[in-house]
Amino acid sequence: MATIKEVAKRTGMSPTTVSRVINNHPYVDDKKRRIVLEAMDELGYVPNSSARRLRGQKTNTIAVIISRIVNPFFSHLVDAMELIAGEKGYQLILCDSRLDKERELRHLELLKAKQVDGVILASLQNDWETIKPFTKYGPIVMCNEYDRRAELPMIRCNQYEGGYIGTKHLIEKGHTNIAYAGGANRIELTYDRWKGFMKAMDEHGLTIPDEWMFPSFYGIEDGKNIFHRIYAMQNGPTAIFAGGDEVAAGIIQEAKRFHCRVPDDLAVVGYDDQPLASLIDPGITTINQPTKLMGTRAMEIMVDMIKNQRKVTFKEEILPLELVIRQST
Amino acid sequence: MATIKEVAKRTGMSPTTVSRVINNHPYVDDKKRRIVLEAMDELGYVPNSSARRLRGQKTNTIAVIISRIVNPFFSHLVDAMELIAGEKGYQLILCDSRLDKERELRHLELLKAKQVDGVILASLQNDWETIKPFTKYGPIVMCNEYDRRAELPMIRCNQYEGGYIGTKHLIEKGHTNIAYAGGANRIELTYDRWKGFMKAMDEHGLTIPDEWMFPSFYGIEDGKNIFHRIYAMQNGPTAIFAGGDEVAAGIIQEAKRFHCRVPDDLAVVGYDDQPLASLIDPGITTINQPTKLMGTRAMEIMVDMIKNQRKVTFKEEILPLELVIRQST
DNA sequence: CTGAAAGCGCTTACAG
DNA sequence: CTGAAAGCGCTTACAG
């Protein structure tokens, strides 16, 4: 309610001096400083954020675009980011693209309107060509998702390795008929995963028929559907590489319901190492992603770019992935 | 980059007219409108959000304070809120109290600095006395959490009923030795749950020893700890009412590991009906909360209060809870 | 239908 | 160490 003017009037000083006190500026007489502080307290004065934004040309706000907050992978990612943002004095605007191009773009517009100081992009429904124009409005950092053509800081995992180690594990377990539900190849992240998958297959002279490839599946229900499609096959696969633990969980749960034994009849590799991976029975063999570290680094880099006004200091941080073996393989 | 002035200069019109075009004000000559629109497009002009905030004395931003985003209950709640906020033209600031009083208070300060138009409080670490002073700075809506003394809109569930039906179910299954891990009684929400629990117990002349009460437990690890404490007891309980599915899952998982049969040796009732409740084996008998509806209603009411500048139209919406029976009981 | 002017609440050169 | 003045980029009475 109270403004800087009122504090000034009440203390008989100028708004300038009051402002200096607010901002811990030196060169303010100690006695005056105390008087101003007291008046601020009495009036319950708090500097108006909108005015500071306009004047200072910064918002102390960062937008985080993710694709599905109810996916534990993203809630953990956001959790890490929120913690760092808070420590550094930034607010976090949560933007859910809901796997939708238009929504993602609309959220990116926040940068144009100077509604945020920067955007962390952890969703990538659009191509780089579409995203690129936004880079001139402010800093963008990619997190988890990436694109080879992008010249932005990218904090991400080695998805090629993820595809490779998961598949190799299945092959070492004796499987030669392996299905793949690791995501659409349109997206770089999942394309690399696919390449890792194929690398392991190639090394052992294995191939995969088209019908065993399931693109664009995300949730538990999707996993159930995949199981049914496999279950209906004459000579189906004996193992499947799933692109997420939720998909893997759906497959496993439905398999159990239909008395298909996991891993004996169907081995399953998940991805993410979410809490549920160790909770369900059999536990899901999966690829652990350093989610917390990714979120932390992305936010740290974002804040660094804002504070030091760095121009696209293009750099990529590629974090290692790890195979966690449980009972589903 | 471009400002309204530059658009004005380029078109030879006044900033006033440009502003009218931006805001779809009527009474602008159609031809001029087109010229302005074209200039805006060419310049890539987007109105500066900070200036609009200051001038308009509103931020079109709402803060949501939750206590733990990695808890699926909250990620689903936030998911519903984000959707509605987007539809209504509001941005959502995610504030995680991390079950910490100070953090919660610091987030409430956003209201004082007019950094948000309103706050949805879905975390309640502080007493009502501490929260109350903030109500004069802007609208606050409580969601899920509540306090009898609060005169705010509160969208919440009937926790008394939740405690009652869950416990009654256990009693009907033949249990007389029932433990309780439904949360601290300091908080109204969990106190009501406790009262519902006791109501069911009283009706059947049952009592609970102090050692069987486990306050303030939240996650999977907590559940594991609870199991071990029960497991170590001489004449322990044969059933437990847990305050969340994560706690229940932890109990169940650890029970299995120690060859304690669920539900035969230990029956478990969870709370929330999270996805994992139906994924783990045995499935968790739990209390379904209408999470999506709660989030939706809280956000709708928040937006309504902001848009219509309603003063504390104190009202409470109490949503029904439902028992979902699975295999853990 | 249109524009000049004031003002939202701050902060920052600038001058003293 | 202190203050008057300008200005951040808008929108809205007000006057025409």
Side-chain angles (χ1 to χ4, degrees):
Chain A
M1 234 50 296
T3 69
I4 205 171
K5 254 192 197 163
E6 299 176 49
V7 178
K9 188 181 295 176
R10 178 182 260 251
T11 57
M13 286 167 229
S14 73
T16 309
T17 299
V18 176
S19 175
R20 288 200 180 96
V21 171
I22 294 167
N23 296 289
N24 279 311
H25 193 93
Y27 307 134
V28 178
D29 181 86
D30 248 16
K31 195 158 103 198
K32 292 195 174 176
R33 183 187 299 274
R34 270 196 299 276
I35 292 172
V36 169
L37 250 16
E38 197 177 325
M40 277 169 40
D41 195 44
E42 286 166 14
L43 290 169
Y45 171 77
V46 176
N48 180 294
S49 150
S50 302
R52 289 183 129 180
R53 283 180 177 231
L54 178 57
R55 176 59 229 235
Q57 300 286 61
K58 58 187 162 61
T59 66
N60 293 314
T61 305
I62 292 166
V64 175
I65 309 182
I66 47 96
S67 49
R68 218 164 63 91
I69 190 65
V70 297
N71 179 332
F73 172 76
F74 288 112
S75 67
H76 280 84
L77 198 64
V78 166
D79 184 53
M81 291 178 181
E82 201 263 359
L83 184 64
I84 304 296
E87 283 173 8
K88 308 273 187 185
Y90 285 82
Q91 241 39 71
L92 186 154
I93 291 190
L94 181 70
C95 303
D96 201 320
S97 75
R98 295 168 194 274
L99 300 165
D100 179 78
K101 284 185 184 204
E102 301 310 320
R103 268 210 170 74
E104 188 174 287
L105 248 29
R106 220 180 310 138
H107 288 137
L108 238 14
E109 299 274 342
L110 292 173
L111 212 47
K112 278 197 191 170
K114 299 260 169 263
Q115 203 163 346
V116 297
D117 293 337
V119 171
I120 295 180
L121 197 54
S123 162
L124 193 55
Q125 302 299 313
N126 292 279
D127 338 304
W128 172 241
E129 300 307 321
T130 314
I131 306 285
K132 193 177 180 184
F134 288 93
T135 58
K136 68 165 177 287
Y137 297 104
I140 301 180
V141 168
M142 279 203 197
C143 178
N144 189 46
E145 294 281 355
Y146 57 97
D147 189 298
R148 236 169 267 304
R149 292 162 294 174
E151 300 209 337
L152 297 172
M154 295 187 261
I155 316 306
R156 50 111 164 177
C157 291
N158 190 337
Q159 301 295 340
Y160 177 85
E161 183 195 14
Y164 182 77
I165 59 179
T167 310
K168 189 153 187 234
H169 169 71
L170 286 172
I171 295 170
E172 283 168 355
K173 283 281 182 178
H175 295 279
T176 53
N177 296 323
I178 305 174
Y180 182 82
N185 290 348
R186 181 180 59 72
I187 293 171
E188 195 121 14
L189 182 156
T190 38
Y191 181 57
D192 280 351
R193 196 135 85 194
W194 165 251
K195 283 195 301 190
F197 172 86
M198 280 312 294
K199 174 76 165 16
M201 295 290 273
D202 281 347
E203 283 181 2
H204 297 268
L206 301 175
T207 55
I208 173 173
D210 285 352
E211 319 85 75
W212 295 4
M213 288 164 54
F214 304 90
S216 305
F217 288 85
Y218 301 99
I220 289 165
E221 287 308 314
D222 294 328
K224 292 184 181 177
N225 286 333
I226 288 173
F227 170 76
H228 286 295
R229 285 167 58 176
I230 288 176
Y231 194 59
M233 293 177 184
Q234 292 292 334
N235 289 299
T238 62
I240 181 163
F241 182 100
D245 288 337
E246 291 175 296
V247 171
I251 293 172
I252 290 172
Q253 195 191 27
E254 207 64 359
K256 283 166 72 176
R257 212 159 72 82
F258 283 77
H259 306 294
C260 168
R261 293 165 303 160
V262 175
D264 301 3
D265 299 332
L266 184 68
V268 183
V269 168
Y271 217 96
D272 291 350
D273 198 16
Q274 292 176 9
L276 78 85
S278 62
L279 278 177
I280 78 167
D281 186 18
I284 307 176
T285 292
T286 187
I287 310 294
N288 179 279
Q289 307 209 62
T291 318
K292 190 174 171 172
L293 182 57
M294 255 197 295
T296 300
R297 287 299 296 143
M299 186 55 79
E300 284 174 350
I301 288 170
M302 179 84 265
V303 171
D304 176 66
M305 287 178 78
I306 294 170
K307 289 212 168 147
N308 302 307
Q309 305 193 52
R310 297 201 199 292
K311 296 296 166 198
V312 185
T313 50
F314 171 49
K315 71 169 166 182
E316 201 171 24
E317 284 189 22
I318 303 181
L319 308 176
L321 255 20
E322 202 180 315
L323 179 70
V324 179
I325 300 174
R326 296 204 176 86
Q327 299 79 44
S328 70
T329 56
Chain B
M1 236 40 309
T3 69
I4 206 171
K5 255 191 197 164
E6 299 177 50
V7 178
K9 188 182 293 177
R10 177 184 260 250
T11 57
M13 286 169 229
S14 73
T16 309
T17 300
V18 176
S19 175
R20 288 202 179 96
V21 172
I22 293 167
N23 295 289
N24 281 310
H25 193 93
Y27 307 135
V28 179
D29 181 84
D30 248 17
K31 195 157 101 195
K32 294 196 174 173
R33 184 187 298 275
R34 269 196 299 275
I35 293 171
V36 169
L37 250 16
E38 198 177 324
M40 278 169 41
D41 194 46
E42 286 167 15
L43 290 168
Y45 170 78
V46 176
N48 181 294
S49 150
S50 303
R52 290 183 128 180
R53 283 179 178 232
L54 178 56
R55 177 57 230 237
Q57 301 286 63
K58 59 187 162 59
T59 66
N60 292 314
T61 305
I62 292 166
V64 174
I65 309 181
I66 47 94
S67 49
R68 217 163 64 90
I69 189 65
V70 297
N71 179 333
F73 172 76
F74 288 112
S75 68
H76 279 84
L77 198 65
V78 167
D79 184 52
M81 291 177 181
E82 201 262 0
L83 184 64
I84 305 295
E87 283 173 6
K88 308 272 187 186
Y90 285 81
Q91 243 36 74
L92 184 153
I93 291 189
L94 181 72
C95 304
D96 201 320
S97 74
R98 294 168 194 276
L99 300 165
D100 180 78
K101 281 184 188 210
E102 300 310 321
R103 268 211 171 73
E104 187 174 287
L105 248 29
R106 219 180 310 136
H107 288 138
L108 238 14
E109 299 273 343
L110 292 172
L111 213 47
K112 277 197 192 170
K114 298 262 168 258
Q115 204 162 346
V116 296
D117 294 335
V119 171
I120 296 180
L121 197 55
S123 163
L124 193 55
Q125 302 298 313
N126 293 278
D127 337 303
W128 171 241
E129 299 307 321
T130 314
I131 306 285
K132 193 177 180 184
F134 289 93
T135 58
K136 69 166 175 285
Y137 297 104
I140 301 179
V141 168
M142 280 203 194
C143 179
N144 189 46
E145 295 281 356
Y146 56 97
D147 189 298
R148 234 169 269 302
R149 292 162 294 176
E151 299 209 338
L152 297 173
M154 295 188 260
I155 316 305
R156 50 110 163 176
C157 291
N158 190 338
Q159 300 296 341
Y160 177 85
E161 182 195 13
Y164 183 77
I165 59 179
T167 311
K168 187 151 189 234
H169 169 71
L170 286 171
I171 295 171
E172 282 169 355
K173 283 280 182 179
H175 295 280
T176 53
N177 295 324
I178 305 174
Y180 182 82
N185 290 347
R186 179 180 59 74
I187 293 170
E188 195 121 12
L189 182 155
T190 39
Y191 181 56
D192 280 349
R193 196 134 85 193
W194 165 251
K195 284 194 301 188
F197 172 85
M198 281 312 294
K199 174 76 168 13
M201 295 290 274
D202 282 347
E203 282 181 2
H204 296 268
L206 301 175
T207 55
I208 173 174
D210 285 352
E211 319 87 76
W212 295 4
M213 288 165 53
F214 304 90
S216 305
F217 287 87
Y218 301 100
I220 288 165
E221 287 309 313
D222 293 328
K224 292 184 182 178
N225 286 334
I226 289 173
F227 170 77
H228 286 295
R229 284 167 59 179
I230 287 177
Y231 195 58
M233 292 178 184
Q234 293 292 334
N235 288 301
T238 61
I240 181 163
F241 181 100
D245 288 337
E246 290 174 297
V247 171
I251 294 172
I252 291 172
Q253 193 190 29
E254 207 63 0
K256 283 165 74 174
R257 210 158 73 80
F258 283 78
H259 306 293
C260 167
R261 293 166 302 160
V262 175
D264 302 2
D265 299 332
L266 185 67
V268 183
V269 168
Y271 217 96
D272 291 351
D273 198 17
Q274 292 176 10
L276 77 83
S278 61
L279 277 177
I280 78 167
D281 186 18
I284 307 176
T285 292
T286 187
I287 309 294
N288 178 280
Q289 306 209 62
T291 319
K292 190 173 171 175
L293 182 58
M294 256 198 294
T296 301
R297 287 301 296 145
M299 186 55 80
E300 284 175 349
I301 288 169
M302 180 84 267
V303 171
D304 175 65
M305 287 179 78
I306 294 171
K307 290 212 168 150
N308 302 308
Q309 305 192 56
R310 298 201 199 293
K311 296 296 167 199
V312 186
T313 50
F314 171 51
K315 70 170 168 183
E316 200 171 26
E317 283 189 23
I318 303 180
L319 307 176
L321 253 22
E322 203 179 315
L323 179 69
V324 179
I325 300 174
R326 296 204 177 85
Q327 300 79 44
S328 70
T329 56

